[in-house]
Amino acid sequence: MPPSVSSPRRVARILRTSLFAQVACALVLGIVVGKLWPDVATDLQPLGDGFTRLIKTIISPLVFCVVVVGIAKAGDLKAFGRIGLKALIWFEIASTVALIIGLIAANVVQPGSGMHVDPSTLDTSAVDAKTGGGSLPSTTEFIVNALPTSFIGAFAENSLLQVLILACLVGAALLHLGHTKVPQVLPAVEQAQEIIFAVVGFVMRLAPIAVFGAMAVLIGQYGLGVIQTYAKLIILCYAAAALFIALLAVALRIVTGLSLWKFLRYIREEMLLALGTASTESVMPRVMQKLRKAGARDDAVGLVLPTGYSFNLDGASLYLSIGTLFIAQAVGVDLSLSQQITVILVLMLTSKGMAGIPGSAFLALSATASSLGAIPAGAVALLLGVDRIMDSMRVVTNLLGNCVAVFAVSRWEGALDIERAKKVLNGETVPAPEGAVLDAADETAKTTVPAQSTKEPASEVS
């Protein structure tokens, strides 16, 4: 067949079978539509929002099933407790490092210097609209709110920490009673898990449509001019994120011997989807699958990854520390070393209560400004125009930080199959892990199981 005929067919086949190619095309098309027809683009918001809502309905039951099965199969509740403790230690170290990198970068580059902004001229009502008049919970409120008041309510409110606690209790109860007293419960949870992963496969078919809508809205609302206005701040944030990711790569290599760049290629579809929708939640189910395929034990994946969504916001920590100093420099406030240390301490606390709260970044910045007493709280309005542009940086950094945490804590606890992980990240075909629920066409993971023993759900095109 002549090349002129085969090439279009090859491209059509790639677009038909590769989720990565579909999402990439949707991303470019969204940018074009947002640039050329901004009025039309703003009406496409429901496309991205609808997809995110569908994914969120899956996350809580998926986390519950994975954690319950992980605890029951591991057979050691103490080991599960150690995993949780080690995860929290890792999260705190990583978040603190991100905060420090952000402060150092902002002090060196001075992104807000020379702006000479008068805070009284800023429209602070826009910040109130962004945050919905809410506030970040205190440390005590955060801990109390993590405790469920209703079994069903935890799932209805999609509260991951509450679902995690319920899952730990159910898993512990299964271990205590033993499989002889409740022989049908664990198989039922495993079957529910298979159903949920099948639903994930169905929903993921809509990913390109969601990315197209979300990107068109972004460009249509903010345009490309904001990039020129805040170029120095944007470049600094992305450069600081790149430095932090490089440190993550070094840490992953030292702790596990694995390559972060190979892992990034392994989850390239999920990463592109997260970038397009500006949400790490949209890829959480798929990332959980791929981490399990890459040799991380179920209990480690089920506990570390969801907990990281509340405790390990590395990208947000970078942005908050740089943003605080940017605001101070823009309004002409010179923060002393002691005040900058206060910034780190305040952000270490406020960043833990950010997940799931509308406009949480602005609430955290306002709380930090108020604690210092030197920066007008209304000055956070300076970041309104650039906040959405920073989503890509936060999403990538948060997602990679959480995935590295899963590998590191798993290795620390002896819950990681290193040989399997290396083969999967190298693109080799390896047998599926016992009990794994696979996507039928997961070309990135390149894992296979014998046809006669396969229980694969209908999956997304990938």
Side-chain angles (χ1 to χ4, degrees), residues 34 54 98 131 218 239 263 270 272 274 277 293 347 366 396 414 416 433 448:
L54 286 174
T131 60
L218 170 63
F263 177 74
E270 292 72 26
L272 194 60
T277 59
K293 292 175 187 177
L347 290 177
S366 298
V396 171
L416 178 64
T448 60

Side-chain angles (χ1 to χ4, degrees), residues 106-158:
N107 276 293
V108 172
V109 179
Q110 299 278 320
S113 62
M115 295 184 69
H116 306 298
V117 174
D118 182 0
S120 63
T121 63
L122 298 174
D123 182 14
T124 57
S125 62
V127 177
D128 295 333
K130 182 82 172 179
T131 60
S135 61
L136 291 176
S138 65
T139 303
T140 303
E141 291 173 335
F142 178 69
I143 295 173
V144 171
N145 291 338
L147 302 176
T149 57
S150 164
F151 200 101
I152 303 300
F155 290 89
E157 296 172 6
N158 212 22

Side-chain angles (χ1 to χ4, degrees), residues 219 222-232 234 385-386 389:
I219 301 301
Y222 297 99
L224 300 176
V226 69
I227 298 178
Q228 298 175 353
T229 305
Y230 290 92
K232 194 174 182 180
I234 294 172
V386 76
I389 304 295

Side-chain angles (χ1 to χ4, degrees), residues 41 43-54 206-214 216-217 277:
D43 295 330
L44 300 177
Q45 184 76 41
L47 296 180
D49 290 348
F51 176 81
T52 304
R53 288 170 70 94
L54 286 174
L206 303 174
I209 298 175
V211 169
F212 165 73
V217 170
T277 59

